[in-house]
Amino acid sequence: MTILITYASKHGSTREIAERIAKTLLELGKQVETRSMDTVWDPEKYEALIIGSAIYYGSWLKVATEWVHRHQTILTTRPVWLFSSGPLGTEVKDDEPQPKEIAEFQKALKPRDQRIFFGALDHSRLSFAERIMLKAVRAPEGDFRDWAAIDAWVASIARDLTVSSKESLV
Ligand SMILES: Cc1cc2nc3c(=O)[nH]c(=O)nc-3n(C[C@H](O)[C@H](O)[C@H](O)COP(=O)(O)O)c2cc1C
């Protein structure tokens, strides 16, 4: 079974989360491929998919939303996990809004699980417009990604896949 980890990332931090997910799954004995979403035309090739996007202005990146819509039919026939990467700082408030598309994706894809992970922000990588926008909302700069939380989530995915593949043998 090959698991696809596919991501949409503007400045690279979500790609690095996808790469970490792949590395951890490999260490747990799973077969994986990691691909940027704009290069994936053949999701039916994979037995399970982990799909993630950075959050910008409360939404997944457009390329990610469009990709999910384009491949929705096949995605409903596979085990799917979703992740979003965005919040900056170390606290997520209870009333933190989900990315706009998540409610619709939950309904349409029935993912096994979905998570929001803290993101990272490096001002030197941003466009002028992004810098102005972030100054206005006082977003903190830094790398807030919680690798332990990401690894724990991946371990739960690996367990879930092991149980599913044993069940399909009986
Ligand atoms: C212009 C701009 C808008 C952002 N808007 C949001 C947002 O609405 N919600 C959120 O949680 N994070 C937001 N972020 C934080 C990013 O999601 C975070 O930096 C993420 O790690 C970026 O991922 P990437 O490096 O893969 O592009 C924003 C960042 C920028 C630069």
Side-chain angles (χ1 to χ4, degrees):
M1 166 195 278
T2 303
I3 306 159
L4 176 69
I5 299 106
T6 187
Y7 59 87
S9 174
K10 201 166 167 192
H11 293 299
S13 61
T14 310
R15 173 177 44 76
E16 289 165 359
I17 292 176
E19 288 166 356
R20 173 67 165 243
I21 292 172
K23 182 173 171 281
T24 309
L25 281 172
L26 256 180
E27 286 166 3
L28 293 168
K30 305 291 177 195
Q31 207 170 309
V32 297
E33 267 184 49
T34 314
R35 292 168 66 183
S36 172
M37 233 173 266
D38 53 2
T39 69
V40 180
W41 302 101
D42 48 2
E44 66 283 353
K45 229 174 86 179
Y46 303 93
E47 284 86 2
L49 297 94
I50 303 173
I51 303 164
S53 173
I55 310 170
Y56 282 85
Y57 308 109
S59 286
W60 270 25
L61 288 168
K62 192 163 169 239
V63 65
T65 308
E66 288 179 352
W67 188 89
V68 169
H69 287 150
R70 191 174 320 121
H71 298 294
Q72 192 162 310
T73 308
I74 193 77
L75 296 178
T76 58
T77 67
R78 300 287 193 277
V80 162
W81 286 261
L82 305 177
F83 72 92
S84 311
S85 109
L88 303 166
T90 48
E91 285 169 35
V92 173
K93 295 173 231 93
D94 284 343
D95 58 354
E96 194 85 26
Q98 299 262 1
K100 226 169 46 208
E101 304 73 15
I102 291 297
E104 177 209 327
F105 290 170
Q106 294 259 35
K107 237 173 155 179
L109 307 181
K110 301 202 172 25
R112 297 270 179 108
D113 196 13
Q114 75 87 19
R115 287 290 162 89
I116 300 182
F117 294 122
F118 291 117
L121 191 67
D122 174 353
H123 279 193
S124 69
R125 289 188 186 180
L126 302 182
S127 67
F128 180 69
E130 284 176 327
R131 270 184 238 173
I132 300 285
M133 143 77 191
L134 284 178
K135 215 168 174 186
V137 297
R138 296 212 178 109
E141 185 176 11
D143 187 347
F144 304 98
R145 288 170 295 178
D146 182 344
W147 299 112
I150 293 164
D151 289 347
W153 188 59
V154 176
S156 77
I157 294 175
R159 278 194 300 274
D160 192 344
L161 284 167
T162 304
V163 172
S164 306
S165 59
K166 279 188 185 144
E167 280 171 0
S168 69
L169 290 174
V170 290

